[in-house]
Amino acid sequence: MTDRTPLAERIAAAPISWGVCEVPGWGWQHQPPTVLTQMRELGIAATEFGPDGFLPDDPQAKADTLAEYGLAAVGQFVPVVLHDPGVDPLPVVEAAMAGLVAAHASTVVLAAATGAQGYDARPELDATGWSTLLGNLDRISDAAAGQGLTATLHPHVGTMVESGEETDRVLDGSHIGLCLDTGHLLIGGGDPVRVAQEHPERIAHMHLKDVDLAWARKVQEGSASYTDAVAAGMYVALGQGDIDVAAIVSALEGSGYAGWYVLEQDTVLAGDPADPTTAKGAGDPVTDVRTSVAHLVEIAEGLEAPSSHLDQRGDA
C-alpha cells in the first residue's frame, strides 16, 4: 500500500458552506474572520480560497491571512470562459495560480463559465466551442504543472460542462484532472458513483456534497431554478441526502486517492449582503459542517476496520 495521510486529516472546507459566493445578490456573506475562525473551531485544517474579494487580492497577503488562522490552503475555484475562441482564459488562471503558489496550495479548480452571471441558464456548445474548450483545458493543465500545481475541471450546474455526458467528453478529449463535485454532477444528470468507480485515476480533487434528490429533480425538469433550489435547502449535510457518499469514498480510497475531500454545501443564507443589520438570523452553517465532518470520519473508520479485524485474527 502507498503511504498516505489518513483520510480524517485530508478533510478541508470551502467558504461557500458559509454562503460566500461569487454570484451577485447570492445572500448574506459572512466575513473572513467569522468563516475562518469557525473552520478552525470545527477542527478543519485547510480551506479553499473562496471567490475573488473574500481574501486579499495580493498573493502573499492571501497566504498570510490563512496562516493567521492556522489554516492550510488547498486550492481555488476559478470560473472562466473556456469555449470562446476570442477569449484567452490563461491570464485569469495565471493570476489565480500566483496566489495558490504563494500559499503552498495544490489545486486549480476550473469551471467552464458561460460568460453570463449566475448558474440558472447556459447556451449549447457547437463543435468549435468544444474544440476550443478542450484545447484550453490542456493548455491550462500544462501551465499549472509548470507552476507545481494540478489543474482540474469541475463539472458545475449552469456551466458548459455539467452533465455526465459532458464530463465523459472532457475525460475523453483532454488530459486535465477532474474535480468530482458529487452534488453538481448529480444535479446535472450525471452519476458521481459511476464516475468515481470507473475513472478514479482521473480524479485529482474532491468536492463532497449531499443532495436532496427531490429538489435536484425540480432543477432538472425546470420547475425550480438552481439558485432557488439551493436557497430551499437542496444541499444537505453529508449522510442526510440521497448521494451514496460511502461508495464514492470507498472507490477513491481503494484506488489510492491521496487528495483532499473538500466539504461543500452550497448555501444561500437569509439576509441582504449589502445591509449588515440583516445578519441576525442569516443562518449558522456550523451545525451542517460539523455533521458532515462526523459522517466522513465515520466512513473513514469503516474503511479502516476490515484490515484491523484481519490483524486481530492473525493467520486465520
Side-chain angles (χ1 to χ4, degrees):
M1 292 180 63
T2 58
D3 187 20
R4 56 181 168 174
T5 304
L7 189 157
E9 297 176 26
R10 289 183 279 130
I11 300 174
I16 186 64
S17 294
W18 278 259
V20 181
C21 182
E22 70 279 2
V23 177
W26 182 257
W28 173 256
Q29 308 279 306
H30 280 299
Q31 295 303 301
T34 298
V35 175
L36 302 179
T37 297
Q38 290 181 353
M39 285 181 181
R40 285 303 293 152
E41 289 174 345
L42 288 165
I44 291 169
T47 182
E48 291 192 359
F49 282 162
D52 288 344
F54 178 68
L55 295 176
D57 291 336
D58 178 76
Q60 191 57 52
K62 196 186 302 276
D64 290 346
T65 298
L66 292 184
E68 178 184 343
Y69 289 89
L71 289 163
V74 174
Q76 181 174 359
F77 178 70
V78 185
V80 62
V81 173
L82 299 167
H83 64 279
D84 186 342
V87 175
D88 183 1
L90 198 54
V92 173
V93 181
E94 286 176 333
M97 290 195 296
L100 293 168
V101 170
H104 306 290
S106 59
T107 310
V108 184
V109 183
L110 302 171
T114 64
Q117 291 184 343
Y119 299 113
D120 291 331
R122 65 179 191 143
E124 291 290 328
L125 275 186
D126 57 16
T128 298
W130 268 110
S131 177
T132 303
L133 185 148
L134 294 171
N136 278 326
L137 289 177
D138 283 346
R139 288 177 61 223
I140 293 170
S141 180
D142 294 342
Q147 295 288 326
L149 299 167
T150 298
T152 62
L153 187 277
H154 178 325
H156 192 293
V157 173
T159 69
M160 307 314 298
V161 180
E162 72 170 18
S163 71
E165 180 181 352
E166 290 158 353
T167 299
D168 286 342
R169 193 162 182 173
V170 167
L171 292 173
D172 290 340
S174 75
H175 60 253
I176 197 166
L178 184 70
C179 171
L180 176 56
D181 185 301
T182 55
H184 277 281
L185 191 59
L186 179 73
I187 298 162
D191 182 350
V193 175
R194 179 190 68 80
V195 172
Q197 292 175 342
E198 294 183 4
H199 303 286
E201 76 287 349
R202 293 294 297 275
I203 297 172
H205 196 53
M206 282 297 300
H207 283 180
L208 272 184
K209 292 180 171 72
D210 209 343
V211 171
D212 180 332
L213 188 57
W215 274 108
R217 296 293 189 222
K218 292 179 182 180
V219 175
Q220 292 167 359
E221 68 191 18
S223 63
S225 72
Y226 176 76
T227 304
D228 287 345
V230 174
M234 177 167 60
Y235 292 112
V236 296
L238 297 187
Q240 297 186 351
D242 295 292
I243 291 178
D244 192 345
V245 177
I248 293 166
V249 174
S250 178
L252 292 177
E253 291 297 296
S255 72
Y257 178 75
W260 291 98
Y261 290 92
V262 181
L263 301 180
E264 281 196 335
Q265 290 91 27
D266 290 18
T267 302
V268 177
L269 297 178
D272 181 352
D275 183 359
T277 64
T278 66
K280 185 177 180 180
D284 181 5
V286 169
T287 299
D288 279 349
V289 177
R290 181 182 290 115
T291 299
S292 293
V293 170
H295 186 70
L296 187 52
V297 168
E298 182 180 3
I299 291 172
E301 292 172 346
L303 293 176
E304 295 166 0
S307 60
S308 64
H309 292 161
L310 286 172
D311 292 342
Q312 291 171 8
R313 291 198 301 268
D315 294 334

